[in-house]
Amino acid sequence: MRRVTIFGSTGSIGVNTVDLIARAPDAYDVSALTGGRNVALLAEQAIALNADLAVTAYDECYDDLRDALSGTGIEVAAGADAIKEAAHRPADWTMSAIVGAAGLVPGLEALKQGKVLALANKESLVTAGPLLLSEAKAHGATILPVDSEHSAIFQALVGEDIAAVERIIVTASGGALRDWPAEALHKATLKDACTHPNWDMGQRITIDSATLFNKAMELIETREFFGVRPDQIEAVIHPESLIHALVGFNDGALMAHLGPPDMRHAIGYALHWPDRGHVPVDRLDLAQIAQLNFRPADPKRFPALRLAYEVMEARGLAGAVFNAAKEVALDRFIAGEIGFTQMAELVEATLSTLSSEIVTSKPLTLDCVLAADHLARKTAAGHVTAQ
Ligand code: NAD
Ligand code: MG
């Protein structure tokens, strides 16, 4: 039996992970599940998977979780420290699926066990990629990417020499507003930005798909995880979302990874790795699909992409500032305080205000990352007030 822990079990990735694990109850022994305010779902999952421990991120949700699990023998805890402590419970396989910078510390702590970290939390790589990789190396742990594009790249690279890679192409659906004229984007409402054409995901990543901030994060993720140069990484709009990424080699070959837009494929790959195992996703019918389309990802229309290249060049704490400013911009857009196109303006303004701090603050330690995150949130909030 493999011992597993899921951080963010009640989210979109978490629910899909629970789905796969629940299908093979004899294969897994669930150590800990963590969630947020959806205590009813967390309790339901903990009972269904017979978890040892359930943790809510919020102290004020503790009583509800304790009541929902009373008499089950399942341990209950609350708060950020309890989530960190859950990362120390023995687990052979840990899913990192908390959304946002809050996912960084639990992932770093889990790596100390020297086992497998299935990484959906892209913010960990964007804010602290080198730190995460060095921590994994120091403890003999393995990080498996769960973002669909990075799982695709990882799979295309099995048995290959990274030195033979010329380029990596990450595809983007183009998000909810991909067919809107660029001049109309500033009018897009929350509802407009929340309807993803292909994927069913959490609200935050769905809006990030519409701005292409999600793709921008994924370009940075590619740079950090696979260690390739920014000029080797490209984004292309592929409206069908069936090819997730392509790896180009020095002999001209392009290895494409195709699959249905169902995150259980990437999660299942990480769960069964290094083997392949059955995953209950739809099988593609190529004759029915008939054609695959591609168009350029225009950095003028999507300033997030241009900013991603700046962050990839700057490295250091630029990723932490970029991510934190993006999280503030997203919060403010969701709250109706700023418009759709103002999100990128806010991130750009924050990056430019903090560029000297980014360059001078070294080395990339967890404390520096958390300080940069804090400073960027304050700076971004100041820019909103000034707008
Ligand atoms: P989601 O919003 O659906 O779920 C997030 C989970 O994190 C929930 O369990 C929530 O309770 C928990 N959470 C939120 N704030 C927290 C905090 N401060 N502390 C502790 N826990 C907290 O998000 P999601 O769409 O499942 O995405 C999770 C991660 O996976 C993100 O980093 C996202 O970018 C990445 N990802 C998601 C998808 C997808 O298809 N949804 C695809 C690729 C990558
Ligand atoms: Mg992705």
Short mmCIF file of all heavy atoms in Angstrom, two decimals, residues 1 44 198:
data_model
loop_
_atom_site.label_atom_id
_atom_site.label_comp_id
_atom_site.label_asym_id
_atom_site.label_seq_id
_atom_site.Cartn_x
_atom_site.Cartn_y
_atom_site.Cartn_z
N MET A 1 0.85 -1.21 0.00
CA MET A 1 0.00 0.00 0.00
C MET A 1 0.88 1.25 0.00
O MET A 1 1.83 1.33 0.76
CB MET A 1 -0.86 0.03 1.27
CG MET A 1 -1.94 -1.01 1.26
SD MET A 1 -3.56 -0.28 1.08
CE MET A 1 -3.99 0.12 2.74
N GLU A 44 -16.28 14.70 3.89
CA GLU A 44 -16.79 13.60 3.04
C GLU A 44 -15.62 12.82 2.43
O GLU A 44 -15.59 11.58 2.43
CB GLU A 44 -17.65 14.23 1.95
CG GLU A 44 -18.43 13.27 1.08
CD GLU A 44 -19.01 14.03 -0.12
OE1 GLU A 44 -19.74 15.02 0.10
OE2 GLU A 44 -18.71 13.65 -1.25
N ASN A 198 -12.57 24.88 -22.87
CA ASN A 198 -12.22 23.45 -22.90
C ASN A 198 -12.08 22.78 -21.54
O ASN A 198 -12.43 21.62 -21.39
CB ASN A 198 -10.88 23.23 -23.63
CG ASN A 198 -10.90 23.82 -25.03
OD1 ASN A 198 -11.95 23.91 -25.64
ND2 ASN A 198 -9.76 24.24 -25.52
#
